[in-house]
Amino acid sequence: MSVIIKTDFRLLLRTKAFWFFLLMMPVLSTMILKIKTDSSAAYVKGNEEMVKELESANDKVAYYGGKGEYIIKVYDASGSELSDYMLNRLSTSGMFYVCRVNLAKTGDALTQEFLQEHLAKDGYEDRMGAAIFIASDFDEKAEDALTVYFLSEDERGAALEAELTFLLSKMDAFLGDVKLLEQADAGLPEKKVVSVAVASSRNLTVKQTNQKTQIGYALAFLSLGFVFCGIFVAHTAIKEQKNGVLTRIDLTGTSTLQYFTAKFVTVLLVSVMVTCVMSVCSIFLNMYDLGMSRFTFLSMIFMMGLIFSALSLLLGILTGEVMSANVAAFSAWCLTALMSGLYFPLTYTSKALKVLSFFMPQRWFLEGSEMIFVGDNQAFLMLICVTVAYLVVILSLGGLGLKIRGTEEWGNS
Amino acid sequence: MIRYLIKNNLKLLGRSLTNTLLLIVAPLVLIALLSAAFHDLMKTYDGADALTAGYYAESDVPAEYMEALKQIAAENGITMKEYVGSTPEEVLKRSDVAGFVVFRADSYTVYQKDDMKEAGKAIEYMVGAFYENAAAAAMGVDVSSAKLRIEQADYMTAVDSIDYYGIIEVVYFGWCAIVCGAGLFSNEKKYRIKKKYYVSNLSDTKMYLSRFVPLAVFVVASAIATAVLSIGLFGVHWGNPALSLLILTFSAMAASALGLMVYEIFDSMVVTVILVFTAVWFAGFFGGSFETYMFSSNAAILKQISPIYHINRALVELSCDGKSDYVVSALLYCTAIIAVCSAVAVFAGSIRRRGRV
């Protein structure tokens, strides 16, 4: 058995492609992860109760409504203090998300054609609760210079109507003097808004939820290197089947179990090698963003990588063709990553999909990371059990596959 | 004569598991995944009729204020329930109140659940509006003196992610039609069946039809099966059944014609698949098969060129509005593709044949 391991290893080390994947995949994955990490600053939405300034009248506002907010697009030709005041009050009231394009700054004129053209676009090629057009003489004419177009059947439109009527009447009463209005508003009670995370039963804070998302991406990208390295070991197994080497090994009295264990030990050693390269690359990763110690993180990556390398080995043996093995291993990786909730949350999927996601290894590692965040000591034990469970299933299927594949070839193909 | 060929080809297409996987299972999986991913972005506000909000008022808040607030809240469908002795976070986690407000003499804090943001905002708005109106009344301001100008505008009814992705994925995979025929056509070449066709008395058009008809029929049947399954599994709402069916049929026919034309020109399945997939990917990208066509900021001209844009828009608007201006353009575009591609395919086929015979 040790002979098989040594031979396989020598073959692997002689394959240039193997070295390429061993060294390059972790580096590439870390690079991609780094890009993702840097953009995660955008996750924590800043001050939501402020007017969002748009660069141009053609900007779409649909994506600001990521959670069902009531979006209002304001075409403000006046750019005056009074319109600023009104829009600020509107956005701080809490119910609306105001996006404003200052037409005075962009240089567009609020003509009838402009209005019709943008209204058509807003209705059919964008998504908002209402569009408001403010003419340039808003300071003098107040409510006559403002038109509201409701562009959805959202019930909160009634609240918008009420709020605008209130604001305009108040501005009328104070004769449009912004200073007086602000003085009057200073007498109102101060408001503070706090968001409480009750999403998961483990009570993750907002920061921990972001960290979990980061771990998810890390697991997704970093496991790719393991998949490819596992494929190389699978290739040796396939070639041995085709060249009749397997038959000759069988004749020496080596049992299928020993042969398969030898292959698995090779996979294990390869995984260790990839993890070592990964640990060097992880120096460039910010552990704070990931929320756990480097050792914990690397052990998790190693365990998951081991599962995927073993899976590649299994698929290689079952398919018996180099190309098919590649395709199968890659598809398995893709599909399991998609369905385990790494790229997007599974909160709104059906029950069936949620249950299915528990078959994917990545899902269990996400659970494990959650447990690590909240300081649950059982996390490691659980992850080790999960890894062992997957490996047992994969190895049994692999052994079975070898038996079924048979040893008919004598090296003619 | 070609009736037999058509039947035969249809049977061969139907027996392949890959075809079923590609045209039925793959769209369903993608519908489930993409609609879940985009659910939040496209959801419409579910106006909760009755909300409960917890509150705690410190001793220096006048009792009349709280009574007035509770009454206004009740008029707006929000029940205010007092909680003494627990922190806001505890109350939010334990019970199903939509939010919690702590009132002090000259400030208040609104605690919102992050998975019930909109309900929390409704509560925040109500409390804010109460204070504003109270202050305005105290100053003697008439808060309904302004007459707001509201005009009517046309807009598309909001479509939710399940309906949208349920429809466009069926269309998109229908356009990958030629892949279904890949096994069939490459085997024709491999086993020299094509040469036998060439020396038969089949005309070029008949040869083309013997491929086109089974492929189109198979793709249409799979698309319909997927659509029916999507209605059953996900509750997708398709619009006007007759028109939707017509559009789907024409879409599948156009896809088959396009794929066959490329195959006849290049005679290699690999090249055909690469070219067709790339073309369909771009058409789908601009046509709203990945990012919704409503939200994407691609140039209008690029969208109009993509046949998938017209088909998607027609079907989606039929589903949510019940009518669409794009039905005619979708049908015309598909008819044009069918006509042109079929003509070119027959012509290319005849040149290839003459070259041999």
Side-chain angles (χ1 to χ4, degrees), chain B residues 30-109:
Chain B
L30 271 168
I31 292 172
L33 291 170
L34 285 176
S35 60
F38 286 99
H39 175 99
D40 271 347
L41 182 65
M42 297 173 76
K43 75 173 174 190
T44 42
Y45 178 64
D46 175 22
D49 300 299
L51 291 175
T52 316
Y55 78 92
Y56 171 69
E58 295 200 354
S59 46
D60 45 2
V61 177
E64 316 89 67
Y65 257 45
M66 293 316 302
E67 283 312 310
L69 178 62
K70 277 160 89 166
Q71 198 164 9
I72 303 276
E75 282 167 25
N76 285 303
I78 300 178
T79 320
M80 307 274 301
K81 211 171 139 186
E82 185 165 17
Y83 285 86
V84 186
S86 330
T87 67
E89 287 87 350
E90 279 171 21
V91 176
L92 283 177
K93 282 179 191 148
R94 262 190 300 136
S95 55
D96 58 353
V97 293
F100 194 91
V101 191
V102 174
F103 292 97
R104 296 182 191 89
D106 55 358
S107 73
Y108 62 98
T109 314

Side-chain angles (χ1 to χ4, degrees), chain A residues 254-368:
Chain A
T254 317
S255 69
T256 324
L257 179 67
Q258 279 180 306
Y259 175 73
F260 199 70
T261 316
K263 286 280 173 254
F264 176 66
V265 172
T266 318
V267 161
L268 186 72
L269 291 171
V270 166
S271 300
V272 172
M273 282 169 72
V274 181
T275 314
C276 289
V277 180
M278 199 66 76
S279 52
V280 172
C281 293
S282 73
I283 295 175
F284 296 101
L285 286 176
N286 188 345
M287 284 298 135
Y288 180 66
D289 278 332
L290 294 167
M292 52 176 67
S293 73
R294 198 175 299 278
F295 176 71
T296 320
F297 178 65
L298 285 171
S299 337
M300 261 185 34
I301 296 287
F302 169 68
M303 284 192 275
M304 230 195 60
L306 189 58
I307 294 177
F308 275 101
S309 303
L311 188 64
S312 305
L313 179 65
L314 167 73
L315 288 171
I317 288 177
L318 286 181
T319 53
E321 291 281 334
V322 166
M323 232 13 237
S324 316
N326 291 350
V327 170
F330 191 69
S331 316
W333 174 80
C334 248
L335 215 62
T336 49
L338 256 179
M339 298 187 41
S340 61
L342 286 183
Y343 295 131
F344 48 78
L346 292 168
T347 7
Y348 295 108
T349 51
S350 64
K351 196 124 205 298
L353 263 177
K354 285 201 184 95
V355 169
L356 208 62
S357 76
F358 276 107
F359 283 104
M360 314 295 157
Q362 291 97 327
R363 184 80 164 83
W364 291 99
F365 282 87
L366 277 179
E367 288 282 321

Side-chain angles (χ1 to χ4, degrees), chain A residues 89-118:
Chain A
R89 294 304 305 175
L90 206 58
S91 70
T92 52
S93 75
M95 185 82 109
F96 318 109
Y97 190 84
V98 180
C99 300
R100 181 251 294 259
V101 55
N102 193 334
L103 295 177
K105 284 213 188 97
T106 62
D108 296 306
L110 191 55
T111 60
Q112 198 56 23
E113 295 99 54
F114 180 88
L115 193 142
Q116 290 303 334
E117 180 198 329
H118 278 90

Side-chain angles (χ1 to χ4, degrees), chain A residues 18 134 150 194 315 392 400:
Chain A
F18 173 72
I134 302 179
F150 284 110
V194 175
L315 288 171
V392 165
L400 206 65

Side-chain angles (χ1 to χ4, degrees), chain A residues 2-263:
Chain A
S2 61
V3 176
I4 304 177
I5 300 174
K6 266 195 268 180
T7 323
D8 278 344
F9 233 89
R10 282 202 204 115
L11 279 171
L12 277 175
L13 294 180
R14 270 178 218 164
T15 321
K16 289 200 196 68
F18 173 72
W19 280 109
F20 176 76
F21 278 105
L22 176 68
L23 297 172
M24 285 276 71
M25 286 308 326
V27 170
L28 267 172
S29 317
T30 317
M31 272 183 3
I32 298 177
L33 188 61
K34 200 83 186 82
I35 299 174
K36 253 273 127 217
T37 320
D38 288 339
S39 68
S40 74
Y43 268 88
V44 185
K45 253 191 186 170
N47 205 335
E48 289 174 11
E49 293 190 358
M50 262 173 47
V51 175
K52 171 103 188 100
E53 294 290 337
L54 299 172
E55 300 280 320
S56 129
N58 294 325
D59 283 351
K60 299 210 184 204
V61 296
Y63 283 116
Y64 294 116
K67 287 202 174 0
E69 287 94 329
Y70 190 88
I71 305 180
I72 305 173
K73 189 172 180 188
V74 182
Y75 295 87
D76 187 356
S78 77
S80 62
E81 265 192 26
L82 197 59
S83 68
D84 278 349
Y85 169 79
M86 185 186 77
L87 294 174
N88 269 323
R89 294 304 305 175
L90 206 58
S91 70
T92 52
S93 75
M95 185 82 109
F96 318 109
Y97 190 84
V98 180
C99 300
R100 181 251 294 259
V101 55
N102 193 334
L103 295 177
K105 284 213 188 97
T106 62
D108 296 306
L110 191 55
T111 60
Q112 198 56 23
E113 295 99 54
F114 180 88
L115 193 142
Q116 290 303 334
E117 180 198 329
H118 278 90
L119 211 49
K121 277 201 210 148
D122 291 343
Y124 286 96
E125 288 173 33
D126 202 348
R127 185 150 162 169
M128 58 185 79
I132 301 181
F133 290 85
I134 302 179
S136 39
D137 47 2
F138 181 65
D139 273 349
E140 295 93 45
K141 301 245 200 78
E143 71 239 34
D144 291 328
L146 182 146
T147 325
V148 180
Y149 292 86
F150 284 110
L151 292 174
S152 82
E153 279 140 20
D154 201 320
E155 302 157 352
R156 292 172 288 183
L160 176 64
E161 211 183 311
E163 184 69 16
L164 275 176
T165 314
F166 172 80
L167 281 170
L168 287 169
S169 314
K170 194 164 150 191
M171 285 168 7
D172 265 346
F174 281 77
L175 302 171
D177 187 340
V178 178
K179 295 267 177 327
L180 280 179
L181 282 164
E182 285 175 351
Q183 259 183 342
D185 289 339
L188 288 171
E190 201 188 301
K191 175 174 78 168
K192 203 171 113 166
V193 179
V194 175
S195 184
V196 177
V198 288
S200 73
S201 58
R202 279 206 192 87
N203 307 332
L204 290 180
T205 64
V206 176
K207 173 137 195 46
Q208 285 171 334
T209 316
N210 282 344
Q211 284 170 339
K212 182 176 150 190
T213 321
Q214 280 309 109
I215 294 272
Y217 287 124
L219 288 176
F221 294 134
L222 300 182
S223 58
L224 190 56
F226 290 91
V227 172
F228 279 115
C229 291
I231 285 181
F232 280 107
V233 183
H235 286 179
T236 66
I238 293 171
K239 287 206 195 99
E240 282 170 8
Q241 277 176 30
K242 286 217 148 32
N243 297 340
V245 173
L246 187 59
T247 316
R248 292 173 182 111
I249 291 177
D250 210 40
L251 285 174
T252 64
T254 317
S255 69
T256 324
L257 179 67
Q258 279 180 306
Y259 175 73
F260 199 70
T261 316
K263 286 280 173 254

